[in-house]
Amino acid sequence: MAYDDLLISIGQFGRYQKRIYLLLCLPAISCALHKLSGVFLQAKVAHRCRLPIDDNNSSYHILPYGSVENMLYPWDSGHDSWSSCELYDTNYTDSYFSSGSIATHTLPCTSWIYDSSIYETTTTSEWNLVCDRAWLRATSDALLMIGVMLGSIIFGDLSDRLGRKPIFFISLVLQVIFGVLVSISPDVYTFMLTRMIVGATTSGVFLVAYVIAMELVGPKRRMFAGVAFQLFFTAGFFVTAFCAYFIRNWRLLQLTLTLPGIAFFSYWWFIPESVRWLLTKGRTEEAKANLEKVAKENRKLLDKTMLDDVCAQSEAERKVAANGAGNVKTATLIDLFKYPNLRKKSLIIFFLWFVNSGTYYGLSWNTSNLGGNEYINFVISGAVEIPAYTILIFTLDKWGRKIILCGAMIFAGLCLIATAFVPSNMTSLNIVLAMAGKLAISSSYSTVYVVTGEQFPTVVRNVGLGAASTFARIGGILAPYVNIMAEVWTPLPLLIFGILALLSGTSALLLPETLNRKLPESIEDGETFGKKQKDVPNNDNNAEEMVHLNAQKS
């Protein structure tokens, strides 16, 4: 591509790009904070039913009448503990306790006493989001992901129309405003609505920042830049856990995670508009000025002839696009379902995205149900992503896509299913299996991007990717409702995620390998691809394409 040739001549990742790139990476941490903070904002606090004999000063740990807990609450076999949602239908008088006869009827709790030894306050304890109201916690996270989906659609379209830079800053401002509103929400419904808008802004901030960064970096350095950008999102796990450990009040924690975003407002004077976008809009003089700044700071000589050629080519492409590309019929999503082989591959790919997204976010948000220290679990959940992404850099172009995708998903499925058979007193083993599953699913989630980009024909690739991304968002939306099933049986969420991962990983065995293959371009190529493959070298930079596709993940 001519533009990439121009970037190579003025420095693919010189001093200018490194400076702007680092600035754009930092907001990725802020986006991670808002996506992950719900683990602590809505933490499930240990609780017990308030008994008629409890007073206002009653403690969670000190039960009335000493250790006669079997006469206070019925046994909950699903959680292997005394129920926190029901109490006996009795008056709990001295005569009841002295009788030694346990009541036979139960009543649902209407009030609770919470354990304040770990969390000072959470939305769960403030608004009683437990038992039959626990679904509100799941709905809050689901609405957050609905916001993420809407934000990717709305802000993505606006950034193409109005420019990357203005949408990036509008998203930043809205993120801070509604982040503050989350912290002062008077009720759970306001909390959910404002948090959904914050979710939408994370798409505007992260995706646009990623696009600006990638459009500024030369082709040979995009793999590194893309992985490093994703690792800044992973760093959000550590920052979130650090802040949550020292700030146990959910409102103050939300403020603490939001207000640093104000510092990014200063980027208006430092972050340039995307040169690629300027060229597509015919604003060649601004594009030339930006490229001259890059060359000057990188101490490179800008080839004026090459620059003029790039601008002329972009102008010609823009005019063709404006006048319509003739009478050429555009491929649509329907074309993927007209032919049996394409239909089979498309359904498998959509299922892969659904499972990968749902399992990734489900495991990220489920750390409080694993037992042990919740903060350490959360940090480990983020830390395992580092080797997960690093492994791909060294293996994806050597071992092939199929073996890594299938192997990672099947391994994740087996690990997560195994947690259902771990005895309740073996907490460490349960955590190890869950984190091994998180590592594997992180690898498969990144791999499914490049697999998708290479499986769909060129003429319908963007359409297919858009549809696959939608299935991923649906998986993320449903993940909180799977997690809330821990209210019924603690291992159930991991068991469900494990079964889905095993099924989807197995189904992916039906997909053809794409490494070192000539990729399909037409619908006809897509239908025959995988039936009779030949080892035709693929000249596309697949690793680079994976980096671009990964922008949608976060």
Side-chain angles (χ1 to χ4, degrees):
M1 294 178 63
Y3 178 75
D4 280 346
D5 292 336
L6 188 58
L7 279 179
I8 293 172
S9 69
I10 61 177
Q12 298 198 57
F13 200 48
R15 181 178 176 181
Y16 182 92
Q17 286 104 323
K18 290 176 182 176
R19 176 170 59 85
I20 301 300
Y21 173 82
L22 179 59
L23 290 175
L24 289 170
C25 283
L26 295 178
I29 299 177
S30 179
C31 292
L33 301 184
H34 289 292
K35 277 190 171 182
L36 301 171
S37 60
V39 172
F40 301 104
L41 298 178
Q42 305 185 107
K44 180 182 175 181
V45 183
H47 54 282
R48 66 177 179 87
C49 293
R50 182 179 292 277
L51 300 168
I53 51 177
D54 278 314
D55 56 36
N56 292 332
N57 297 320
S58 293
S59 167
Y60 168 79
H61 294 285
I62 301 176
L63 296 173
Y65 292 93
S67 59
V68 290
E69 197 162 15
N70 63 317
M71 300 190 70
L72 297 176
Y73 304 110
W75 183 256
D76 183 352
S77 58
H79 295 85
D80 197 24
S81 64
W82 303 108
S83 176
S84 60
C85 295
E86 292 183 329
L87 73 166
Y88 287 119
D89 184 10
T90 183
N91 53 14
Y92 293 97
T93 60
D94 290 340
S95 60
Y96 167 69
F97 290 106
S98 61
S99 69
S101 177
I102 302 176
T104 56
H105 297 288
T106 61
L107 293 172
C109 302
T110 57
S111 181
W112 292 264
I113 296 175
Y114 294 92
D115 181 7
S116 59
S117 61
I118 299 178
Y119 300 99
E120 179 183 333
T121 64
T122 70
T123 59
T124 302
S125 61
E126 183 169 332
W127 294 316
N128 291 324
L129 306 183
V130 294
C131 301
D132 61 350
R133 284 172 56 85
W135 65 274
L136 289 170
R137 296 203 316 269
T139 301
S140 175
D141 284 331
L143 287 174
L144 175 76
M145 295 306 293
I146 290 175
V148 172
M149 179 174 66
L150 294 176
S152 63
I153 297 171
I154 296 171
F155 289 119
D157 179 68
L158 289 177
S159 68
D160 286 338
R161 293 173 181 269
L162 306 179
R164 320 296 197 211
K165 184 174 178 177
I167 299 306
F168 176 64
F169 283 97
I170 290 173
S171 301
L172 281 172
V173 172
L174 290 176
Q175 188 172 98
V176 171
I177 292 174
F178 282 91
V180 172
L181 291 178
V182 169
S183 70
I184 60 175
S185 298
D187 53 64
V188 65
Y189 301 104
T190 304
F191 173 82
M192 291 191 292
L193 177 61
T194 53
R195 197 158 174 257
M196 181 179 71
I197 298 175
V198 169
T201 66
T202 62
S203 293
V205 173
F206 186 93
L207 292 179
V208 177
Y210 187 97
V211 169
I212 294 175
M214 292 301 102
E215 290 180 346
L216 198 60
V217 176
K220 291 184 178 180
R221 302 307 300 272
R222 285 181 190 143
M223 166 60 83
F224 166 78
V227 172
F229 202 99
Q230 184 64 39
L231 289 175
F232 273 83
F233 184 89
T234 300
F237 277 88
F238 308 119
V239 177
T240 302
F242 178 83
C243 293
Y245 182 80
F246 290 101
I247 303 173
R248 307 297 179 97
N249 180 297
W250 79 266
R251 294 182 184 274
L252 183 57
L253 175 61
Q254 174 65 23
L255 270 179
T256 302
L257 299 177
T258 299
L259 292 181
I262 296 175
F264 298 132
F265 294 174
S266 62
Y267 278 20
W268 182 263
W269 292 276
F270 304 106
I271 301 299
E273 180 58 89
S274 165
V275 173
R276 283 184 186 268
W277 182 83
L278 290 172
L279 290 172
T280 61
K281 296 300 180 181
R283 294 162 60 173
T284 55
E285 293 305 316
E286 294 177 59
K288 288 180 179 180
N290 284 355
L291 289 171
E292 288 171 354
K293 291 179 182 178
V294 177
K296 182 178 180 181
E297 189 166 337
N298 288 349
R299 298 179 181 178
K300 298 285 185 177
L301 181 63
L302 181 63
D303 189 324
K304 300 292 186 181
T305 302
M306 183 181 294
L307 177 60
D308 290 337
D309 289 343
V310 170
C311 293
Q313 177 183 336
S314 298
E315 181 64 19
E317 293 174 352
R318 188 180 69 85
K319 289 181 178 179
V320 170
N323 296 327
N327 295 319
V328 179
K329 182 180 179 181
T330 303
T332 66
L333 183 64
I334 297 175
D335 291 308
L336 292 176
F337 294 92
K338 286 183 177 179
Y339 308 95
N341 191 36
L342 260 180
R343 180 168 58 248
K344 177 190 71 176
K345 291 187 293 183
S346 298
L347 291 174
I348 292 172
I349 289 171
F350 294 154
F351 185 47
L352 285 168
W353 280 68
F354 172 82
V355 173
N356 271 277
S357 177
T359 305
Y360 174 84
Y361 283 108
L363 294 180
S364 298
W365 293 331
N366 194 54
T367 51
S368 61
N369 289 325
L370 299 178
N373 189 296
E374 297 177 17
Y375 297 95
I376 294 177
N377 291 349
F378 188 79
V379 169
I380 296 174
S381 178
V384 296
E385 293 190 11
I386 298 175
Y389 300 140
T390 305
I391 289 171
L392 296 181
I393 298 176
F394 299 102
T395 61
L396 202 58
D397 287 333
K398 293 182 180 180
W399 296 357
R401 285 71 162 114
K402 185 174 176 178
I403 188 173
I404 293 177
L405 176 63
C406 298
M409 295 206 71
I410 291 173
F411 179 76
L414 293 175
C415 288
L416 297 177
I417 291 173
T419 61
F421 302 96
V422 175
S424 58
N425 60 339
M426 299 182 67
T427 302
S428 297
L429 178 59
N430 190 57
I431 294 173
V432 169
L433 289 171
M435 294 308 167
K438 174 67 186 301
L439 187 154
I441 210 68
S442 296
S443 290
S444 68
Y445 197 5
S446 290
T447 305
V448 77
Y449 282 84
V450 64
V451 168
T452 303
E454 293 173 352
Q455 292 285 350
F456 285 134
T458 302
V459 295
V460 75
R461 185 164 294 149
N462 286 337
V463 174
L465 285 167
S469 180
T470 300
F471 276 90
R473 298 308 177 200
I474 295 173
I477 292 168
L478 295 179
Y481 292 106
V482 176
N483 280 343
I484 209 66
M485 292 181 185
E487 297 284 329
V488 178
W489 184 42
T490 303
L492 189 55
L494 296 187
L495 179 62
I496 293 174
F497 290 132
I499 292 173
L500 288 174
L502 187 61
L503 289 175
S504 59
T506 304
S507 69
L509 292 170
L510 299 175
L511 294 175
E513 177 58 71
T514 56
L515 180 64
N516 297 325
R517 306 293 200 273
K518 186 178 185 302
L519 301 185
E521 296 183 7
S522 65
I523 294 295
E524 292 74 18
D525 291 339
E527 174 61 16
T528 59
F529 186 69
K531 289 183 176 180
K532 295 180 180 180
Q533 287 194 24
K534 296 181 179 180
D535 289 333
V536 180
N538 173 23
N539 296 322
D540 292 342
N541 190 336
N542 297 326
E544 176 187 330
E545 183 174 3
M546 180 187 72
V547 170
H548 282 289
L549 298 177
N550 265 331
Q552 300 179 53
K553 175 178 177 181
S554 302

